[in-house]
Amino acid sequence: MLVALAAIPILIAIAVRLSSSVPPGRGPAFLDRITQNGLFVGVTGVLVSIPLFLPLTVGVVAGDTVAGEAGLGTLRYLLVAPAGRVKLLLVKYAGAVVFCVVAPLVVALTGAAIGAALFPVGRVTLLSGDTIAPAEAVMRLILIAAYIAVSLLGLSAIGLFMSTLTDVPVGAMAATVVLSVVSQVLDALPQLEWLHPWLFSHYWLGFSELLRQPIGWDTFASNAWLQAGYVAVFGALAYSRFVTKDILS
Amino acid sequence: MNRRWLRWMPAVVVPAVIAAGIAAGSLPASAVDPLPAKSPAQVLALVAGHKVHALSGTLEQASNLGLPEVPQTGPSASAPTSWLELLSGPHTARVYKDGPAKMRIQILDKMAERDLVRNGRELWWYSSKDQSTVHVTLPNLVATPAGEEPPEDSVDPGFPDSSTVPTPAELTEKLLAKLDPSTDVSVGTDVQVAGRSAYNLVLTPRSQQTLVGSVSIAVDGENGLPLSFQVAARGQAEPAFALAYSSLTLGAPDPSLFDFTPPPGTAVKEVQPPPRPLGAHPGLDGHTGGSDVGRPQVTGSGWETVVGFRVGGDALAAEGLLTREPLLQQAMVAVPGGTVMSTSLLNVLLTDDGRIFVGAVPVEMLQAAATPR
């Protein structure tokens, strides 16, 4: 799955390299900047993958945590060991968190690498019009990956809960991915404005704050609080469900 | 079985605790000390005498003018609508200011940003969407020569910097006396803006005819800085226009913020500033170009003022701008004698014989002003 994610920025870079110049203002933001500065491939890659590809892979990983073991019939053998259900749940969630951290990093850094290989690299122009050195730009890319990692924690907690509900891993995966799409659709409806700050996908595109000068940390903080809330609620639900569940497989 | 229910406790307790925490956080902080009572004149004097020249903050703007919302995406978000786009829909901007000659305003858009940077005589406009830069070199200002820092005790730019000028207190008394026949000025209950206690100066038109319900300005109780500006329209619960700080830090921001060099790869457009010194007020008399064409015809007074133009010259351009704008065409409604663009604060009447009438009054009053007597 990480390879599939890494393919996204590579595809973008090759497509832009082979095509003629992209007119500014068309396509996803930053796409027109790639020919000037290869490091923008990383940003564009993250931007393109955040609505679907990253939630999809996180949904697959998180949905598989418990239901996957149940589906394979190995869950009861895991619980025979004196580790306890809480510990198993924590370890499973930790695995999903590691994926949340690694996946956006892979997209951003692969993008930066392929961009550096195919396009010139120079001082990076931020949204504010200021320019920063390439080394600092890579720092910002890592910050963006960290922001996305935090953003995906809530979704992975939802996936963990879904995974405790069923013995069919595909069901848990699908439910998680569908929820992420539903959340984004709700976020796009202006009639539901009161609901928007509570949707776990609301700050997903907020990483643009990290491309301003000075960095707007407010979004980072509100995003972290929101995701912490989702992790707490769905973590508690997953705990309750898992420790009361009758393990039959 | 009992034990089983106990296990579900966390799933109930955690959301409850979070909900309680949010509810507690959103309650108004009632423990704030009330500000000492002040008369409207004293509050105005506080504003006029404020010495806050260095700050950084975030401004939130929301409008509810009744105009159709500009789509945030898609091909229709073209350049000519940008001035309209600033009027409709919500916006967030970061403001940095250090003295009167150093300022930076960042309008934060989705995945884009528009910047206005002023450093002394250099004025830059940068838009990240099309990577365009506009550069203006301002002429020497009369009040602050060569963009130098003014002395500590100088009043706000806009007031001539001279000892013959009356004190802010006298000035506000005069202003209030002038406003009194048309406007009721009062100080409402204190408000909280950006976490600061502020006086709420409310200007209510005495006229029942105008569309403007009230104008309220929040003034920082400590230093007199205006913190928010709100215009309420008659018959509309939400404010028609609101501009307020959502966060504010006093003190000089990072000086490197004001150093702007156009990024490589952008087209820099040099614009010559208008020859008129910036201190002069480009008021309505700017149209008196000798001929009758374009000279405004003013009827009514105070809040009921209606300004009429005969189309020609600038006004023709204005009408073209109004009628060509696809977004505005949606807002145009045909009425007897012309078409009307109606917002909750301002009505514009384009008569069939080529005149434009603008006023914060109902359409009937515009029509009355348009009918020759």
Side-chain angles (χ1 to χ4, degrees):
Chain A
M1 267 188 305
L2 288 175
V3 176
L5 282 174
I8 294 167
I10 295 176
L11 273 177
I12 293 172
I14 293 173
V16 172
R17 180 78 210 178
L18 293 181
S19 68
S20 53
S21 67
V22 183
R26 298 277 302 277
F30 312 117
L31 195 64
D32 50 326
R33 308 260 180 114
I34 288 176
T35 45
Q36 296 162 20
N37 200 322
L39 293 178
F40 273 107
V41 178
V43 184
T44 317
V46 171
L47 181 71
V48 167
S49 49
I50 186 71
L52 185 62
F53 299 115
L54 281 172
L56 191 73
T57 48
V58 167
V60 168
V61 168
D64 191 51
T65 44
V66 178
E69 300 286 358
L72 287 172
T74 50
L75 191 54
R76 53 183 159 173
Y77 300 114
L78 279 176
L79 292 175
V80 166
R85 296 187 179 192
V86 181
K87 202 168 177 187
L88 178 69
L89 202 65
L90 283 177
V91 168
K92 283 292 182 185
Y93 186 61
V97 168
V98 167
F99 182 82
C100 286
V101 172
V102 172
L105 259 183
V106 165
V107 175
L109 293 183
T110 316
I114 187 83
L118 291 181
F119 300 101
V121 170
R123 289 184 70 82
V124 173
T125 307
L126 298 172
L127 289 175
S128 307
D130 302 73
T131 56
I132 52 172
E136 209 191 329
V138 172
M139 274 309 297
R140 295 257 177 143
L141 263 181
I142 293 172
L143 265 181
I144 288 175
Y147 181 93
I148 301 294
V150 172
S151 306
L152 293 171
L153 289 183
L155 181 66
S156 61
I158 294 173
L160 183 75
F161 172 57
M162 292 291 170
S163 191
T164 59
L165 290 179
T166 171
D167 285 351
V168 187
V170 177
M173 293 172 195
T176 312
V177 175
V178 165
L179 265 181
S180 90
V181 173
V182 166
S183 170
Q184 290 181 73
V185 169
L186 292 180
D187 204 18
L189 294 177
Q191 283 80 5
L192 296 173
E193 209 160 8
W194 53 273
L195 185 68
H196 289 176
W198 307 105
L199 294 170
F200 59 87
S201 66
H202 181 62
Y203 295 106
W204 278 4
L205 288 173
F207 68 85
S208 61
E209 299 298 316
L210 300 171
L211 289 171
R212 304 188 197 280
Q213 185 76 352
I215 295 177
W217 290 108
D218 295 359
T219 318
F220 205 115
S222 3
N223 181 37
W225 279 112
L226 180 75
Q227 302 298 336
Y230 269 94
V231 170
V233 170
F234 282 93
L237 280 171
Y239 161 80
S240 299
R241 165 71 189 162
F242 193 53
V243 293
T244 54
K245 193 182 179 188
D246 294 326
I247 306 293
L248 300 171
S249 52
Chain B
M1 202 60 203
N2 201 9
R3 201 174 149 76
R4 195 181 164 89
W5 283 115
L6 210 64
R7 292 253 168 89
W8 275 99
M9 277 301 280
V12 179
V13 169
V14 169
V17 166
I18 291 177
I22 291 164
S26 63
L27 282 180
S30 51
V32 182
D33 292 331
L35 294 166
K38 282 200 169 163
S39 72
Q42 283 171 317
V43 174
L44 273 177
L46 192 67
V47 180
H50 88 79
K51 295 191 177 82
V52 182
H53 290 305
L55 60 88
S56 44
T58 311
L59 274 173
E60 301 275 353
Q61 179 237 310
S63 353
N64 245 308
L65 289 169
L67 280 173
E69 276 211 13
V70 181
Q72 295 287 317
T73 52
S76 55
S78 56
T81 44
S82 60
W83 61 273
L84 246 184
E85 188 260 330
L86 279 179
L87 273 181
S88 77
H91 283 93
T92 307
R94 293 194 296 197
V95 180
Y96 302 92
K97 197 167 180 285
D98 189 3
K102 282 187 176 181
M103 186 158 84
R104 179 164 193 161
I105 300 173
Q106 300 179 315
I107 303 169
L108 311 181
D109 302 317
K110 235 179 193 172
M111 293 288 155
E113 187 170 315
R114 282 166 285 174
D115 272 56
L116 182 71
V117 188
R118 181 178 168 202
N119 192 354
R121 290 177 55 195
E122 307 276 315
L123 191 68
W124 297 93
W125 168 257
Y126 175 75
S127 169
S128 82
K129 215 168 240 166
D130 47 4
Q131 300 195 53
S132 63
T133 309
V134 178
H135 179 221
V136 182
T137 307
L138 297 173
N140 269 331
L141 295 180
V142 188
T144 52
E148 290 288 312
E149 289 274 326
E152 266 289 290
D153 58 345
S154 87
V155 291
D156 211 43
F159 290 102
D161 195 18
S162 151
S163 55
T164 57
V165 163
T167 63
E170 286 171 21
L171 214 77
T172 52
E173 289 291 351
K174 267 190 189 166
L175 182 72
L176 276 179
K178 219 177 160 187
L179 277 177
D180 192 57
S182 64
T183 314
D184 173 49
V185 183
S186 63
V187 177
T189 48
D190 296 349
V191 286
Q192 290 277 320
V193 182
R196 304 174 75 92
S197 306
Y199 292 108
N200 193 11
L201 196 67
V202 184
L203 290 87
T204 317
R206 289 195 200 279
S207 153
Q208 293 299 310
Q209 290 293 328
T210 171
L211 296 173
V212 179
S214 69
V215 178
S216 34
I217 303 161
V219 176
D220 194 314
E222 257 172 62
N223 52 35
L225 184 76
L227 294 179
S228 84
F229 177 78
Q230 241 181 43
V231 185
R234 243 175 242 284
Q236 185 175 311
E238 289 170 80
F241 180 85
L243 182 70
Y245 281 107
S246 62
S247 74
L248 180 69
T249 316
L250 298 180
D254 185 2
S256 67
L257 275 173
F258 305 108
D259 297 330
F260 187 85
T261 36
T266 61
V268 181
K269 200 166 117 191
E270 291 284 341
V271 173
Q272 286 302 314
R276 187 205 312 276
L278 280 182
H281 182 55
L284 291 170
D285 54 352
H287 285 285
T288 42
S291 72
D292 186 49
V293 168
R295 178 178 293 177
Q297 165 208 346
V298 181
T299 47
S301 67
W303 295 92
E304 297 169 26
T305 307
V306 174
V307 184
F309 301 93
R310 184 158 284 286
V311 173
D314 289 353
L316 189 67
E319 196 197 6
L321 194 70
L322 283 176
T323 47
R324 267 201 308 272
E325 199 71 60
L327 191 77
L328 282 180
Q329 271 173 3
Q330 286 181 33
M332 292 286 193
V333 181
V335 292
T339 45
V340 160
M341 193 192 77
S342 180
T343 71
S344 54
L345 275 187
L346 194 75
N347 280 329
V348 180
L349 171 69
L350 306 174
T351 59
D352 292 333
D353 56 349
R355 288 175 300 162
I356 302 177
F357 290 87
V358 184
V361 291
V363 178
E364 296 80 49
M365 284 187 69
L366 288 181
Q367 286 172 313
T371 42
R373 266 156 298 179

